[in-house]
Amino acid sequence: MSQSIDNTRRRMLSFMAGAPLLPLAGGMFSAKAFAENMTEAPLSSVSFVPMTAPSLSNPAAMATAYTNAAMQLKFEDGSSRLVKLDYHAFFVSGDRVPDGQGNTLVAGGYYDINNKPITDPTFNNRQFFSDCPDGSSLLTVKDAKVAGVYGNHVFAVVQFEYTSRDGAGNEMYGRLPSPVAILTLDQNPETGELKLVKYHNVDTSNVGGLWITCGASLSPWGTHLSSEEYQPDASDPDNKQFKAYSKNLFGDENKAKPYNYGHMPEVTVNKDGTGSVIKHYCMGRLSHELVQVMPDERTVLMGDDFTNSGLFMFIADKPRDLSAGTLYAAKWHQTSGKGPGAGNLTWIKLGEANSDEIQRLVDAGIKSSDIMEIHKKDPKDASFTKIGYSGKTNWVKLKPGMEKEAAFLETHRYAALIGASLGFTKMEGTTVNIKDKKAYSAMSYIYKTMTDGSTDIHVEGPKAGAVYEHTLTGGQKDNHGHAIDSEWVSVRMEAPANLIGEDLVVPDALGNTAHADRISNPDNLKYSEALRTLFIGEDSGNHVNNFLWAYNVDSGELARILSTPAGAESTGLHAVDELNGWTYIMSNFQHPGDWSSPLHDKVKDVLDPYIRANYKDRYGAAVGYLTGIPKLS
């Protein structure tokens, strides 16, 4: 490193101590200019300057990952610096990317149980690849060493939820085993820029493959906590989707066991850029979606992306070890039904288990009929309990002595059976604000079982959803009066005013059915302690373009900072406060040009050619992050 560059870097870090440094899109020239004009006064605040939503006056902006937002740094001497945001993609899925051994792989490519590429017979046997990159983590590994890295070693774990369609346009959701990739990235020490050096596809054969990996989070100990969403219903032997999944994975539609899916996968990255995965069978079999491990490194708050979903909590027996612990489900005690409502929470203990004992049950071939009797029609028998399951009515009766099996393999049904509040609708990402001892959960839609009076959650809406704030505390007891061994238990949920969507009675001129300047159908959530900012990514059926938002928890101000291509969902959100002196906001998107009617009727004909040109005829989507372009202000 030259003396001038070294001095510039030191000057930046000295002046910016405690301030966020986004990776600089303008390179070293921008870094030097930024440093030379930097004040030595302490930083007083960070905020985001919002962008307007793109419109058909600029169709190219509506058909890509677009930002015209900025980050504002204010200092105690009254000066400020403006950092304009930009978006940088590592790749679009389907690209050929380096495997670190002189060859290339298909980004987002699918593999069977023998790690052989799964090909599409409707598209000249092209390897299937995903248009739906989702959860990501950015991390470092001690003593990492990968050929081709000349700066700092950084790794990103990226999982792919599903692929939308085959070459003939047939629905492929949930019919392929989800890939997980580890990206080795070369971090430029002077600019923070990340360059892809190696793409490694994680071997998932030891866990029987992965099912619909959606949101993800980084554990405090540096592992990637994945997800398996919409677990297959083990009481449905004729599930065509699951049979197709089994056929594509094993070559046999009857080999995959439904109870092997719906658990919590954990990915560990090795110092050579490879990795491994395990599943934790003791954290509940549910629609895990972006769980949050609390600072005690034992308590895990878990949303549940399901209809008739619940709020779940797992408390591990030991810190940094999720292989054994106690599972709880929340009981909602409503205090307000206005808008998205509010409620106090108590906790029902579902059971204690270690992962190995539950996995042994799965491996032995346990069936739903061994655990409980399940009817989809009223059996006219008072010994059965009526519950809600996946938006429908079930009647269930537990087999004698099968409480543990039910708690960890039929978690939804068992939690409802013993009185937990299984009435939420699509509770998605969860994240924590450590300083204020608050957590946040995204409720993508507030409708159906939350509004129809069928459960103990009975609120008004909106359909556009909301983000709920949790109050976290200790000293709590479960439904048996036993102490809950955690200081990070949620005792209340309520949505801040600026984190509530707004339904429109009449669509606006572009076709939005929810107000474009408010969040709609929040999904990914990540909180930055350094920025005092909650980042919110949308999965909206009500916004023509989905957005990424920044919400300042002190001012309550909400700023739109990124627009994804029309029809795409904002995914892969990950906020990293400091990584070798740089701050990162990771952001992916999935299924661009996923047109729905009437939402996209006014834009489809104009935008479809752009999106097809940008994203492999709608078969690809981007994995990337936000960068900064420093300017004087």
Side-chain angles (χ1 to χ4, degrees), residues 439-481:
Y440 307 93
S441 288
M443 201 72 66
S444 184
Y445 286 79
I446 300 175
Y447 65 168
K448 296 181 180 178
T449 57
M450 290 187 73
T451 60
D452 64 10
S454 63
T455 73
D456 49 6
I457 305 165
H458 191 195
V459 300
E460 295 175 337
K463 186 178 178 181
V467 175
Y468 288 81
E469 182 181 80
H470 297 262
T471 300
L472 306 174
T473 190
Q476 300 305 298
K477 295 183 178 181
D478 66 19
N479 56 312
H480 302 296

Side-chain angles (χ1 to χ4, degrees), residues 268-546:
T268 299
V269 178
N270 301 323
K271 60 184 179 181
D272 64 352
T274 63
S276 59
V277 61
I278 59 174
K279 283 186 187 180
H280 297 296
Y281 292 81
C282 54
M283 297 180 71
R285 183 171 170 269
L286 48 100
S287 289
H288 292 288
E289 172 85 15
L290 213 164
V291 306
Q292 178 64 54
V293 181
M294 297 298 165
D296 64 358
E297 301 185 339
R298 295 177 56 242
T299 304
V300 189
L301 192 61
M302 305 183 290
D304 180 25
D305 187 6
F306 206 61
T307 301
N308 289 112
S309 69
L311 177 66
F312 294 89
M313 176 175 64
F314 178 77
I315 301 178
D317 291 345
K318 301 176 182 178
R320 299 190 166 205
D321 181 357
L322 302 178
S323 65
T326 305
L327 181 65
Y328 301 86
K331 179 74 173 178
W332 167 276
H333 305 274
Q334 190 158 300
T335 58
S336 171
K338 183 176 177 59
N344 297 326
L345 302 178
T346 56
W347 291 89
I348 294 175
K349 180 179 176 180
L350 301 184
E352 301 175 37
N354 65 63
S355 186
D356 288 345
E357 66 179 312
I358 304 303
Q359 185 179 359
R360 284 194 293 269
L361 294 171
V362 176
D363 292 344
I366 190 171
K367 296 179 173 59
S368 64
S369 56
D370 300 325
I371 300 172
M372 59 175 59
E373 290 186 58
I374 302 168
H375 290 277
K376 310 296 174 66
K377 295 182 179 179
D378 189 350
K380 307 296 183 182
D381 182 338
S383 65
F384 283 79
T385 300
K386 180 181 177 181
I387 65 166
Y389 178 83
S390 191
K392 299 179 181 178
T393 302
N394 282 190
W395 288 261
V396 301
K397 181 167 65 173
L398 188 67
K399 295 291 184 71
M402 299 300 285
E403 287 82 3
K404 179 175 285 190
E405 291 82 352
F408 294 95
L409 293 176
E410 284 290 345
T411 308
H412 283 132
R413 290 184 171 107
Y414 183 67
L417 178 65
I418 64 173
S421 295
L422 272 289
F424 295 111
T425 48
K426 294 181 68 61
M427 184 185 289
E428 309 248 6
T430 298
T431 190
V432 65
N433 169 350
I434 297 171
K435 181 180 179 181
D436 298 338
K437 214 163 185 180
K438 302 287 186 181
Y440 307 93
S441 288
M443 201 72 66
S444 184
Y445 286 79
I446 300 175
Y447 65 168
K448 296 181 180 178
T449 57
M450 290 187 73
T451 60
D452 64 10
S454 63
T455 73
D456 49 6
I457 305 165
H458 191 195
V459 300
E460 295 175 337
K463 186 178 178 181
V467 175
Y468 288 81
E469 182 181 80
H470 297 262
T471 300
L472 306 174
T473 190
Q476 300 305 298
K477 295 183 178 181
D478 66 19
N479 56 312
H480 302 296
H482 299 148
I484 298 175
D485 186 17
S486 173
E487 296 298 313
W488 298 88
V489 179
S490 175
V491 295
R492 182 166 176 80
M493 289 174 61
E494 187 169 7
N498 274 355
L499 296 183
I500 302 170
E502 181 180 332
D503 298 335
L504 298 178
V505 176
V506 178
D508 67 16
L510 202 61
N512 293 300
T513 54
H515 200 299
D517 293 330
R518 299 186 67 86
I519 64 169
S520 181
N521 311 113
D523 189 326
N524 283 209
L525 293 183
K526 285 293 167 63
Y527 181 75
S528 167
E529 295 283 340
L531 300 177
R532 297 285 293 166
T533 297
L534 175 66
F535 294 98
I536 305 162
E538 295 182 340
D539 176 11
S540 177
N542 295 295
H543 278 170
V544 172
N545 286 86
N546 281 315

